[in-house]
Amino acid sequence: MESRFDGRIWIDLAAHILYNFGAMKWVYIEEIGAYPDQDVEVRGWVYNKRSSGKVRFILVRDGTGILQTTIFGTDESHPLFKKFDALTQETSLIVRGRVREDKRAPGGVELSLQDIEILQVAQDYPITPKEHSTPFLMEHRHLWLRSRKQHAVLQVRAEVIKAIRDFFDGRGFRLMDTPILTPSACEGTTTLFETQYFDQKAYLSQSGQLYNEATAMAFGKVYCFGPTFRAEKSKTRRHLIEFWMVEPEVAFALLEDTIELGEDLILFILERVLTRRKSDLEELERDAAPLEQVKKPFLRLTYEEALPKLQEKGSTIQWGDDFGAPEETIISDIYPSPVCITHFPAKIKAFYMQPDPERPDLALAVDFLASEGYGELIGGSQRIHDLDILEQRIKENNLPREAYQWYLDLRKYGTVPHSGFGLGVERTVAWISKIKHIRETIPFPRLLYRIYP
Ligand code: 4AD
């Protein structure tokens, strides 16, 4: 006679027994709400602890959230009390218990503890709830990342990056990685990081743009996304030495097309962060209202229209001067949405920018200035597609022609108008999170004279 049980049923039964009588299910705090009245295990670190009457509270963090766990009892010989007493901030542990819904608990649930397994008691964790100086926190950046506010900013960062990728991938852009070691400059020679490439000089990439222009001629619309490097000698709250930039490049696109793409990208990122990282923005005490009000089209102002507005507000800027941080702040404080400044004097912009056919002294360039005083988020332009003009600009900028030979080829073999831009991830995160200093928007910032940790 054939057995009533086939092999599969036996396996399922064995798994069922193991699950119910063996180890508890390990769950992450962000999903613990899905396990009401069930016994689970959480693996993490002690964020804080306190006693109140008959209850001992341990706040446990596991990277996805912070959970209130409780030990309830009056008997001082309770086996968990001894363990509770041994816990210090950042002690690593595994806690097991029953998930209980409790409206008073942060997140609406708490874990009623049955067991605490201590992995390591952390001694003298240096970042305590008291105030610490910024240099101290920067020295301890590897630990500072565990603090709530830092954690929230970096959650926003991860969401911004995910949104950027989804935006471009969803619009049929091809990701084309561009090199980090390069033989030539893209954004001026003063901020180049020089390094040795066997027996020749090389530079860390300031921008993937020039290579993007080549891949755009092969794939139509492309983007690169990676770290870029600028030896910026100025110490400001908006500049990093190493920062991440996403750069789209589109064959046949004109300046206005690239401005519209930038608007759509910013709105897409905002919408994503506002819906998916609401709790992190709350943790940062970021009032979402100004971000919710951002609408397209963004205001466009030419450089020459912006000048009198800046002068009215006390800037001493004259025609031909570049915008500095004070000018960017004035403009971005005037309007609730980002502002697009276009048609800059060609001499203050990069060599590859297309001159305005009606005013060749102006470049078809755009800078997007964020609202609330956050300065430039995006820099972009239409590129020179004419071989003679490009050769002339390379010469005027004293750039070595040999290094740009391949770039000039793009104008010899089927040249077309094309445009693109770069959006700085950290500036975007700083603006959305309303963080004063850009150093908190990247896990390990590289700053002027700081390369530790
Ligand atoms: O305006 P930038 O220099 O543009 C370029 O590099 C172009 N080649 C991009 C392109 O057209 N493909 O830089 C673009 C953006 C800025 O608007 C800013 O957000 C960010 O990159 N950025 C920095 N962010 C942090 N620290 C710095 N030192 C930055 N320099 C630029």
Side-chain angles (χ1 to χ4, degrees):
M1 200 177 90
E2 220 175 86
S3 162
R4 281 176 58 219
F5 297 110
D6 65 24
R8 241 201 83 133
I9 290 176
W10 284 114
I11 291 168
D12 284 350
L13 195 64
H16 179 78
I17 291 167
L18 265 177
Y19 177 74
N20 283 289
F21 300 101
M24 285 183 196
K25 188 176 167 59
W26 168 26
V27 300
Y28 281 101
I29 294 171
E30 68 179 354
E31 64 206 24
I32 203 163
Y35 298 87
D37 301 318
Q38 293 183 46
D39 292 340
V40 300
E41 172 178 299
V42 171
R43 304 176 184 181
W45 298 263
V46 174
Y47 195 74
N48 212 339
K49 69 171 189 180
R50 72 189 162 87
S51 301
S52 167
K54 293 177 196 153
V55 198
R56 308 269 202 283
F57 294 97
I58 310 163
L59 287 185
V60 176
R61 57 165 202 90
D62 75 345
T64 72
I66 295 182
L67 176 69
Q68 177 169 295
T69 68
T70 53
I71 315 164
F72 189 81
T74 45
D75 180 359
E76 281 307 315
S77 64
H78 192 304
L80 292 187
F81 283 0
K82 224 174 159 177
K83 288 195 172 173
F84 174 88
D85 291 342
L87 299 178
T88 57
Q89 192 187 348
E90 289 308 314
T91 284
S92 44
L93 79 181
I94 298 175
V95 289
R96 302 184 181 92
R98 177 137 317 167
V99 180
R100 300 209 184 279
E101 284 173 336
D102 187 333
K103 292 213 165 48
R104 293 163 301 175
V109 289
E110 63 178 24
L111 195 68
S112 175
L113 292 186
Q114 297 155 10
D115 182 30
I116 299 173
E117 188 183 326
I118 296 176
L119 302 185
Q120 190 223 10
V121 174
Q123 303 288 358
D124 304 323
Y125 184 68
I127 303 180
T128 57
K130 69 167 196 181
E131 286 269 310
H132 294 285
S133 69
T134 304
F136 179 87
L137 291 168
M138 291 304 296
E139 273 305 285
H140 294 88
R141 181 67 179 164
H142 50 297
L143 302 176
W144 191 22
L145 300 173
R146 303 180 189 190
S147 304
R148 277 186 197 235
K149 195 173 144 205
Q150 298 308 310
H151 192 270
V153 180
L154 295 177
Q155 290 278 41
V156 170
R157 176 190 173 92
E159 198 67 57
V160 166
I161 291 173
K162 172 92 172 83
I164 290 171
R165 292 203 179 280
D166 288 348
F167 176 83
F168 286 113
D169 293 343
R171 288 188 170 215
F173 279 68
R174 275 288 168 224
L175 174 69
M176 290 289 141
D177 300 314
T178 52
I180 286 175
L181 289 165
T182 63
S184 51
C186 178
E187 293 301 321
T189 47
T190 53
T191 62
L192 277 176
F193 254 113
E194 197 177 305
T195 180
Q196 202 59 29
Y197 193 76
F198 303 105
D199 58 353
Q200 65 183 92
K201 266 191 211 160
Y203 309 99
L204 299 185
S205 174
Q206 299 167 306
S207 157
Q209 179 200 317
L210 305 187
Y211 296 96
N212 261 351
E213 290 182 56
T215 56
M217 298 307 138
F219 293 85
K221 44 185 179 175
V222 297
Y223 72 102
C224 66
F225 197 173
T228 41
F229 307 85
R230 308 241 174 129
E232 308 262 11
K233 292 283 160 44
S234 53
K235 208 172 174 178
T236 79
R237 59 192 175 87
R238 291 181 188 168
H239 288 91
L240 289 169
I241 304 301
E242 180 179 308
F243 63 97
W244 283 66
M245 180 158 58
V246 63
E247 299 178 82
E249 191 72 30
V250 182
F252 300 99
L254 305 181
L255 179 66
E256 183 54 30
D257 301 312
T258 217
I259 295 178
E260 284 174 22
L261 186 67
E263 283 174 334
D264 288 347
L265 172 63
I266 288 177
L267 288 170
F268 188 90
I269 296 172
L270 279 180
E271 213 266 322
R272 269 293 180 83
V273 177
L274 286 168
T275 49
R276 296 194 185 175
R277 303 275 29 126
K278 210 163 177 275
S279 59
D280 292 305
L281 295 180
E282 280 163 15
E283 179 65 50
L284 295 165
E285 295 175 35
R286 191 344 163 188
D287 176 11
L291 299 177
E292 283 160 359
Q293 280 157 24
V294 174
K295 298 261 165 353
K296 70 173 195 181
F298 300 167
L299 179 75
R300 281 119 165 104
L301 282 179
T302 64
Y303 173 88
E304 290 179 354
E305 285 165 346
L307 280 190
K309 290 186 189 294
L310 292 167
Q311 288 156 349
E312 260 169 43
K313 296 268 174 185
S315 164
T316 54
I317 192 168
Q318 297 299 320
W319 196 98
D321 294 341
D322 203 356
F323 283 21
E327 285 72 31
E328 289 180 1
T329 305
I330 295 174
I331 294 282
S332 64
D333 274 345
I334 303 177
Y335 302 100
S337 289
V339 178
C340 300
I341 310 289
T342 64
H343 300 79
F344 287 84
K347 63 173 190 172
I348 58 168
K349 286 290 181 188
F351 75 94
Y352 52 72
M353 292 188 181
Q354 173 72 20
D356 181 346
E358 280 160 30
R359 284 277 306 274
D361 57 330
L362 301 179
L364 294 182
V366 60
D367 283 357
F368 283 57
L369 306 184
S371 51
E372 299 177 87
Y374 275 85
E376 189 193 315
L377 296 180
I378 285 184
S381 67
Q382 192 173 317
R383 325 303 191 187
I384 296 173
H385 59 276
D386 180 273
L387 178 64
D388 294 337
I389 302 178
L390 187 58
E391 280 190 318
Q392 194 189 324
R393 292 307 308 267
I394 287 176
K395 209 189 258 163
E396 284 166 13
N397 282 269
N398 294 320
L399 295 168
R401 195 181 184 285
E402 327 73 71
Y404 295 88
Q405 197 55 53
W406 67 269
Y407 185 63
L408 291 165
D409 273 357
L410 305 174
R411 279 70 184 172
K412 284 189 206 156
Y413 305 112
T415 190
V416 297
H418 58 288
S419 305
F421 64 77
L423 170 131
V425 166
E426 292 76 16
R427 297 257 184 104
T428 307
V429 174
W431 171 53
I432 294 177
S433 309
K434 210 163 181 192
I435 285 289
K436 270 216 191 88
H437 202 295
I438 198 166
R439 65 185 161 221
E440 292 176 39
T441 63
I442 183 164
F444 294 97
R446 304 289 86 150
L447 299 162
L448 189 61
Y449 310 128
R450 174 176 288 283
I451 196 169
Y452 177 90

Short mmCIF file of all heavy atoms in Angstrom, two decimals, residues 359-408:
data_model
loop_
_atom_site.label_atom_id
_atom_site.label_comp_id
_atom_site.label_asym_id
_atom_site.label_seq_id
_atom_site.Cartn_x
_atom_site.Cartn_y
_atom_site.Cartn_z
N ARG A 359 24.63 85.82 -28.84
CA ARG A 359 25.56 86.54 -27.96
C ARG A 359 26.72 85.60 -27.63
O ARG A 359 26.76 84.97 -26.58
CB ARG A 359 24.85 86.89 -26.63
CG ARG A 359 23.87 88.03 -26.65
CD ARG A 359 24.57 89.39 -26.49
NE ARG A 359 25.45 89.50 -25.33
CZ ARG A 359 25.05 89.85 -24.11
NH1 ARG A 359 23.80 90.13 -23.86
NH2 ARG A 359 25.94 89.93 -23.12
N PRO A 360 27.69 85.49 -28.54
CA PRO A 360 28.75 84.49 -28.34
C PRO A 360 29.57 84.71 -27.05
O PRO A 360 30.32 83.83 -26.66
CB PRO A 360 29.64 84.65 -29.58
CG PRO A 360 28.83 85.43 -30.55
CD PRO A 360 27.83 86.23 -29.80
N ASP A 361 29.38 85.88 -26.42
CA ASP A 361 30.10 86.07 -25.15
C ASP A 361 29.38 85.36 -23.99
O ASP A 361 29.88 85.34 -22.87
CB ASP A 361 30.25 87.57 -24.84
CG ASP A 361 28.91 88.31 -24.78
OD1 ASP A 361 27.95 87.90 -25.48
OD2 ASP A 361 28.80 89.27 -24.00
N LEU A 362 28.21 84.80 -24.28
CA LEU A 362 27.46 84.07 -23.24
C LEU A 362 27.44 82.58 -23.53
O LEU A 362 27.41 82.17 -24.69
CB LEU A 362 26.01 84.57 -23.17
CG LEU A 362 25.80 86.05 -22.88
CD1 LEU A 362 24.30 86.38 -22.87
CD2 LEU A 362 26.44 86.46 -21.54
N ALA A 363 27.47 81.77 -22.47
CA ALA A 363 27.44 80.31 -22.65
C ALA A 363 26.04 79.79 -22.40
O ALA A 363 25.33 80.30 -21.52
CB ALA A 363 28.41 79.65 -21.67
N LEU A 364 25.64 78.77 -23.17
CA LEU A 364 24.32 78.13 -22.96
C LEU A 364 24.44 77.17 -21.77
O LEU A 364 24.48 75.95 -21.93
CB LEU A 364 23.87 77.40 -24.22
CG LEU A 364 23.58 78.30 -25.43
CD1 LEU A 364 23.08 77.46 -26.61
CD2 LEU A 364 22.54 79.38 -25.08
N ALA A 365 24.53 77.78 -20.61
CA ALA A 365 24.76 77.02 -19.38
C ALA A 365 23.60 77.23 -18.43
O ALA A 365 22.86 78.21 -18.56
CB ALA A 365 26.04 77.52 -18.70
N VAL A 366 23.45 76.31 -17.49
CA VAL A 366 22.42 76.49 -16.46
C VAL A 366 22.94 76.02 -15.11
O VAL A 366 23.64 75.01 -15.02
CB VAL A 366 21.12 75.72 -16.82
CG1 VAL A 366 21.35 74.21 -16.96
CG2 VAL A 366 20.02 75.97 -15.78
N ASP A 367 22.64 76.80 -14.10
CA ASP A 367 22.86 76.37 -12.71
C ASP A 367 21.51 76.36 -12.02
O ASP A 367 20.75 77.33 -12.12
CB ASP A 367 23.76 77.38 -11.95
CG ASP A 367 25.23 77.25 -12.31
OD1 ASP A 367 25.57 76.35 -13.10
OD2 ASP A 367 26.02 78.06 -11.80
N PHE A 368 21.19 75.27 -11.34
CA PHE A 368 19.96 75.20 -10.54
C PHE A 368 20.32 75.56 -9.10
O PHE A 368 21.12 74.85 -8.48
CB PHE A 368 19.40 73.77 -10.51
CG PHE A 368 18.69 73.32 -11.74
CD1 PHE A 368 19.30 73.32 -12.97
CD2 PHE A 368 17.39 72.84 -11.65
CE1 PHE A 368 18.64 72.86 -14.11
CE2 PHE A 368 16.72 72.37 -12.78
CZ PHE A 368 17.35 72.39 -14.01
N LEU A 369 19.73 76.62 -8.60
CA LEU A 369 20.00 77.01 -7.22
C LEU A 369 18.83 76.58 -6.34
O LEU A 369 17.67 76.92 -6.61
CB LEU A 369 20.20 78.53 -7.12
CG LEU A 369 21.28 79.11 -8.06
CD1 LEU A 369 21.45 80.60 -7.81
CD2 LEU A 369 22.61 78.40 -7.87
N ALA A 370 19.14 75.84 -5.30
CA ALA A 370 18.09 75.30 -4.43
C ALA A 370 17.46 76.40 -3.60
O ALA A 370 18.08 77.45 -3.37
CB ALA A 370 18.67 74.25 -3.50
N SER A 371 16.22 76.17 -3.16
CA SER A 371 15.57 77.13 -2.26
C SER A 371 16.19 77.05 -0.87
O SER A 371 17.02 76.18 -0.60
CB SER A 371 14.08 76.82 -2.21
OG SER A 371 13.89 75.45 -1.91
N GLU A 372 15.76 77.94 0.00
CA GLU A 372 16.17 77.99 1.41
C GLU A 372 17.69 78.14 1.60
O GLU A 372 18.25 77.65 2.58
CB GLU A 372 15.68 76.74 2.15
CG GLU A 372 14.15 76.62 2.15
CD GLU A 372 13.70 75.34 2.84
OE1 GLU A 372 13.54 75.37 4.06
OE2 GLU A 372 13.54 74.32 2.14
N GLY A 373 18.32 78.82 0.64
CA GLY A 373 19.73 79.16 0.83
C GLY A 373 20.71 78.01 0.67
O GLY A 373 21.83 78.08 1.16
N TYR A 374 20.33 76.95 -0.06
CA TYR A 374 21.23 75.80 -0.18
C TYR A 374 22.18 75.82 -1.37
O TYR A 374 23.00 74.93 -1.53
CB TYR A 374 20.43 74.49 -0.10
CG TYR A 374 20.24 74.12 1.35
CD1 TYR A 374 19.19 74.65 2.08
CD2 TYR A 374 21.18 73.35 2.01
CE1 TYR A 374 19.06 74.38 3.42
CE2 TYR A 374 21.07 73.08 3.35
CZ TYR A 374 20.00 73.59 4.06
OH TYR A 374 19.90 73.32 5.38
N GLY A 375 22.04 76.85 -2.22
CA GLY A 375 22.99 77.00 -3.31
C GLY A 375 22.81 76.00 -4.44
O GLY A 375 21.76 75.39 -4.59
N GLU A 376 23.89 75.85 -5.22
CA GLU A 376 23.79 75.12 -6.49
C GLU A 376 23.66 73.59 -6.31
O GLU A 376 24.49 72.96 -5.69
CB GLU A 376 25.04 75.42 -7.31
CG GLU A 376 24.97 74.91 -8.71
CD GLU A 376 26.33 74.94 -9.42
OE1 GLU A 376 27.04 75.96 -9.32
OE2 GLU A 376 26.66 73.93 -10.07
N LEU A 377 22.61 73.07 -6.93
CA LEU A 377 22.39 71.62 -6.91
C LEU A 377 22.85 70.98 -8.22
O LEU A 377 23.35 69.87 -8.24
CB LEU A 377 20.89 71.29 -6.79
CG LEU A 377 20.12 71.69 -5.55
CD1 LEU A 377 18.67 71.26 -5.69
CD2 LEU A 377 20.74 71.05 -4.33
N ILE A 378 22.60 71.72 -9.30
CA ILE A 378 22.88 71.20 -10.65
C ILE A 378 23.67 72.22 -11.43
O ILE A 378 23.38 73.42 -11.36
CB ILE A 378 21.53 70.93 -11.41
CG1 ILE A 378 20.85 69.67 -10.90
CG2 ILE A 378 21.75 70.85 -12.92
CD1 ILE A 378 19.57 69.30 -11.67
N GLY A 379 24.66 71.73 -12.18
CA GLY A 379 25.34 72.57 -13.17
C GLY A 379 25.27 71.83 -14.49
O GLY A 379 25.58 70.64 -14.54
N GLY A 380 24.86 72.53 -15.53
CA GLY A 380 24.75 71.83 -16.82
C GLY A 380 24.90 72.79 -17.97
O GLY A 380 25.05 74.01 -17.78
N SER A 381 24.85 72.23 -19.18
CA SER A 381 24.98 73.10 -20.36
C SER A 381 24.68 72.32 -21.64
O SER A 381 24.62 71.09 -21.63
CB SER A 381 26.41 73.65 -20.48
OG SER A 381 27.30 72.60 -20.75
N GLN A 382 24.55 73.10 -22.70
CA GLN A 382 24.60 72.53 -24.04
C GLN A 382 26.09 72.53 -24.40
O GLN A 382 26.83 73.45 -24.01
CB GLN A 382 23.79 73.41 -24.99
CG GLN A 382 23.54 72.76 -26.33
CD GLN A 382 22.59 73.59 -27.18
OE1 GLN A 382 21.58 74.09 -26.68
NE2 GLN A 382 22.92 73.74 -28.46
N ARG A 383 26.55 71.48 -25.09
CA ARG A 383 27.98 71.36 -25.36
C ARG A 383 28.32 71.87 -26.75
O ARG A 383 27.47 71.80 -27.67
CB ARG A 383 28.43 69.91 -25.26
CG ARG A 383 27.75 69.04 -24.21
CD ARG A 383 27.86 69.58 -22.83
NE ARG A 383 27.40 68.57 -21.85
CZ ARG A 383 27.27 68.82 -20.57
NH1 ARG A 383 27.50 70.02 -20.08
NH2 ARG A 383 26.88 67.87 -19.75
N ILE A 384 29.53 72.33 -26.92
CA ILE A 384 29.96 72.76 -28.25
C ILE A 384 29.98 71.54 -29.16
O ILE A 384 30.61 70.53 -28.82
CB ILE A 384 31.39 73.38 -28.20
CG1 ILE A 384 31.39 74.65 -27.34
CG2 ILE A 384 31.91 73.64 -29.61
CD1 ILE A 384 32.77 75.22 -27.09
N HIS A 385 29.31 71.63 -30.30
CA HIS A 385 29.35 70.48 -31.21
C HIS A 385 30.14 70.77 -32.48
O HIS A 385 30.37 69.90 -33.30
CB HIS A 385 27.93 69.99 -31.55
CG HIS A 385 27.07 71.03 -32.19
ND1 HIS A 385 26.37 71.97 -31.46
CD2 HIS A 385 26.81 71.28 -33.50
CE1 HIS A 385 25.70 72.76 -32.30
NE2 HIS A 385 25.96 72.36 -33.54
N ASP A 386 30.58 72.02 -32.60
CA ASP A 386 31.33 72.42 -33.79
C ASP A 386 32.83 72.22 -33.53
O ASP A 386 33.37 72.73 -32.54
CB ASP A 386 31.02 73.90 -34.09
CG ASP A 386 31.76 74.39 -35.30
OD1 ASP A 386 32.93 74.84 -35.14
OD2 ASP A 386 31.21 74.32 -36.40
N LEU A 387 33.48 71.50 -34.44
CA LEU A 387 34.90 71.16 -34.24
C LEU A 387 35.79 72.39 -34.12
O LEU A 387 36.62 72.48 -33.21
CB LEU A 387 35.37 70.27 -35.40
CG LEU A 387 36.84 69.86 -35.36
CD1 LEU A 387 37.15 69.00 -34.15
CD2 LEU A 387 37.23 69.11 -36.64
N ASP A 388 35.60 73.37 -35.01
CA ASP A 388 36.49 74.54 -35.01
C ASP A 388 36.35 75.33 -33.71
O ASP A 388 37.34 75.75 -33.11
CB ASP A 388 36.18 75.46 -36.20
CG ASP A 388 36.51 74.77 -37.52
OD1 ASP A 388 37.33 73.83 -37.47
OD2 ASP A 388 35.91 75.13 -38.55
N ILE A 389 35.11 75.54 -33.27
CA ILE A 389 34.90 76.33 -32.04
C ILE A 389 35.53 75.58 -30.85
O ILE A 389 36.20 76.17 -30.01
CB ILE A 389 33.40 76.59 -31.77
CG1 ILE A 389 32.76 77.32 -32.95
CG2 ILE A 389 33.20 77.40 -30.49
CD1 ILE A 389 31.26 77.58 -32.80
N LEU A 390 35.36 74.26 -30.83
CA LEU A 390 35.90 73.50 -29.71
C LEU A 390 37.43 73.56 -29.69
O LEU A 390 38.05 73.75 -28.64
CB LEU A 390 35.42 72.03 -29.78
CG LEU A 390 35.76 71.17 -28.57
CD1 LEU A 390 35.20 71.76 -27.28
CD2 LEU A 390 35.24 69.75 -28.75
N GLU A 391 38.02 73.42 -30.86
CA GLU A 391 39.49 73.49 -30.94
C GLU A 391 39.99 74.84 -30.43
O GLU A 391 40.96 74.94 -29.69
CB GLU A 391 39.95 73.28 -32.39
CG GLU A 391 39.97 71.81 -32.74
CD GLU A 391 40.63 71.53 -34.07
OE1 GLU A 391 40.37 72.30 -35.02
OE2 GLU A 391 41.36 70.53 -34.15
N GLN A 392 39.25 75.87 -30.84
CA GLN A 392 39.63 77.23 -30.42
C GLN A 392 39.52 77.38 -28.89
O GLN A 392 40.40 77.94 -28.25
CB GLN A 392 38.67 78.20 -31.12
CG GLN A 392 39.08 79.64 -31.08
CD GLN A 392 37.92 80.48 -31.62
OE1 GLN A 392 37.22 80.06 -32.55
NE2 GLN A 392 37.70 81.64 -31.03
N ARG A 393 38.45 76.82 -28.31
CA ARG A 393 38.25 76.94 -26.85
C ARG A 393 39.32 76.17 -26.08
O ARG A 393 39.77 76.59 -25.02
CB ARG A 393 36.87 76.44 -26.44
CG ARG A 393 35.69 77.28 -26.91
CD ARG A 393 35.80 78.75 -26.56
NE ARG A 393 36.07 79.00 -25.14
CZ ARG A 393 35.15 79.22 -24.21
NH1 ARG A 393 33.90 79.26 -24.55
NH2 ARG A 393 35.48 79.43 -22.96
N ILE A 394 39.73 75.04 -26.63
CA ILE A 394 40.79 74.25 -25.97
C ILE A 394 42.08 75.06 -25.95
O ILE A 394 42.78 75.13 -24.95
CB ILE A 394 40.95 72.87 -26.67
CG1 ILE A 394 39.74 71.99 -26.31
CG2 ILE A 394 42.25 72.18 -26.30
CD1 ILE A 394 39.69 70.64 -26.99
N LYS A 395 42.33 75.73 -27.08
CA LYS A 395 43.53 76.55 -27.18
C LYS A 395 43.46 77.73 -26.19
O LYS A 395 44.40 77.97 -25.42
CB LYS A 395 43.65 77.09 -28.62
CG LYS A 395 45.09 77.33 -29.02
CD LYS A 395 45.20 78.05 -30.33
CE LYS A 395 45.55 77.11 -31.47
NZ LYS A 395 45.26 77.72 -32.78
N GLU A 396 42.33 78.44 -26.20
CA GLU A 396 42.17 79.61 -25.30
C GLU A 396 42.34 79.23 -23.83
O GLU A 396 42.76 80.03 -23.02
CB GLU A 396 40.77 80.22 -25.46
CG GLU A 396 40.59 81.04 -26.72
CD GLU A 396 39.09 81.32 -27.01
OE1 GLU A 396 38.23 81.09 -26.12
OE2 GLU A 396 38.82 81.75 -28.13
N ASN A 397 41.94 78.01 -23.50
CA ASN A 397 42.03 77.57 -22.10
C ASN A 397 43.37 76.90 -21.79
O ASN A 397 43.54 76.35 -20.70
CB ASN A 397 40.88 76.62 -21.76
CG ASN A 397 39.59 77.38 -21.52
OD1 ASN A 397 39.28 77.76 -20.40
ND2 ASN A 397 38.84 77.65 -22.59
N ASN A 398 44.31 76.99 -22.73
CA ASN A 398 45.64 76.40 -22.56
C ASN A 398 45.60 74.93 -22.16
O ASN A 398 46.37 74.49 -21.30
CB ASN A 398 46.44 77.17 -21.49
CG ASN A 398 46.74 78.57 -21.95
OD1 ASN A 398 47.06 78.77 -23.13
ND2 ASN A 398 46.60 79.53 -21.05
N LEU A 399 44.69 74.20 -22.76
CA LEU A 399 44.60 72.77 -22.45
C LEU A 399 45.42 72.00 -23.49
O LEU A 399 45.48 72.43 -24.66
CB LEU A 399 43.13 72.32 -22.47
CG LEU A 399 42.26 72.94 -21.39
CD1 LEU A 399 40.78 72.66 -21.66
CD2 LEU A 399 42.65 72.45 -20.01
N PRO A 400 46.05 70.92 -23.09
CA PRO A 400 46.89 70.17 -24.05
C PRO A 400 46.04 69.44 -25.08
O PRO A 400 45.27 68.54 -24.73
CB PRO A 400 47.63 69.17 -23.14
CG PRO A 400 46.77 69.03 -21.92
CD PRO A 400 46.01 70.30 -21.76
N ARG A 401 46.18 69.81 -26.34
CA ARG A 401 45.31 69.29 -27.40
C ARG A 401 45.35 67.76 -27.48
O ARG A 401 44.34 67.11 -27.69
CB ARG A 401 45.72 69.91 -28.73
CG ARG A 401 44.69 69.74 -29.82
CD ARG A 401 45.17 70.36 -31.12
NE ARG A 401 44.13 70.27 -32.15
CZ ARG A 401 43.80 69.16 -32.79
NH1 ARG A 401 44.42 68.03 -32.51
NH2 ARG A 401 42.84 69.18 -33.71
N GLU A 402 46.57 67.20 -27.31
CA GLU A 402 46.73 65.73 -27.47
C GLU A 402 45.79 64.98 -26.53
O GLU A 402 45.20 63.96 -26.90
CB GLU A 402 48.15 65.24 -27.14
CG GLU A 402 49.30 66.16 -27.45
CD GLU A 402 49.40 67.34 -26.48
OE1 GLU A 402 49.77 67.16 -25.30
OE2 GLU A 402 49.08 68.46 -26.95
N ALA A 403 45.62 65.50 -25.30
CA ALA A 403 44.80 64.79 -24.32
C ALA A 403 43.33 64.78 -24.73
O ALA A 403 42.56 63.95 -24.25
CB ALA A 403 44.96 65.41 -22.94
N TYR A 404 42.95 65.72 -25.59
CA TYR A 404 41.53 65.84 -25.98
C TYR A 404 41.27 65.35 -27.40
O TYR A 404 40.21 65.58 -27.96
CB TYR A 404 41.07 67.30 -25.83
CG TYR A 404 41.09 67.76 -24.39
CD1 TYR A 404 42.24 68.31 -23.84
CD2 TYR A 404 39.99 67.60 -23.56
CE1 TYR A 404 42.30 68.69 -22.51
CE2 TYR A 404 40.02 67.98 -22.23
CZ TYR A 404 41.19 68.52 -21.71
OH TYR A 404 41.22 68.89 -20.40
N GLN A 405 42.29 64.69 -27.98
CA GLN A 405 42.15 64.22 -29.36
C GLN A 405 40.89 63.36 -29.54
O GLN A 405 40.10 63.57 -30.45
CB GLN A 405 43.41 63.42 -29.74
CG GLN A 405 43.58 63.25 -31.23
CD GLN A 405 43.59 64.58 -31.97
OE1 GLN A 405 44.36 65.49 -31.65
NE2 GLN A 405 42.69 64.72 -32.95
N TRP A 406 40.70 62.42 -28.63
CA TRP A 406 39.54 61.52 -28.73
C TRP A 406 38.23 62.30 -28.61
O TRP A 406 37.24 61.99 -29.28
CB TRP A 406 39.60 60.43 -27.66
CG TRP A 406 39.45 60.94 -26.24
CD1 TRP A 406 40.44 61.34 -25.41
CD2 TRP A 406 38.22 61.12 -25.53
NE1 TRP A 406 39.92 61.77 -24.21
CE2 TRP A 406 38.56 61.65 -24.25
CE3 TRP A 406 36.87 60.91 -25.82
CZ2 TRP A 406 37.59 61.95 -23.29
CZ3 TRP A 406 35.92 61.21 -24.86
CH2 TRP A 406 36.29 61.73 -23.61
N TYR A 407 38.26 63.36 -27.78
CA TYR A 407 37.06 64.17 -27.54
C TYR A 407 36.72 64.97 -28.81
O TYR A 407 35.56 65.12 -29.18
CB TYR A 407 37.34 65.07 -26.35
CG TYR A 407 36.19 65.91 -25.85
CD1 TYR A 407 35.04 65.32 -25.34
CD2 TYR A 407 36.26 67.31 -25.87
CE1 TYR A 407 33.99 66.10 -24.87
CE2 TYR A 407 35.22 68.09 -25.39
CZ TYR A 407 34.08 67.48 -24.90
OH TYR A 407 33.04 68.24 -24.43
N LEU A 408 37.77 65.42 -29.47
CA LEU A 408 37.56 66.15 -30.73
C LEU A 408 37.00 65.22 -31.81
O LEU A 408 36.20 65.64 -32.65
CB LEU A 408 38.87 66.79 -31.19
CG LEU A 408 39.36 67.95 -30.31
CD1 LEU A 408 40.82 68.28 -30.60
CD2 LEU A 408 38.50 69.20 -30.52
#
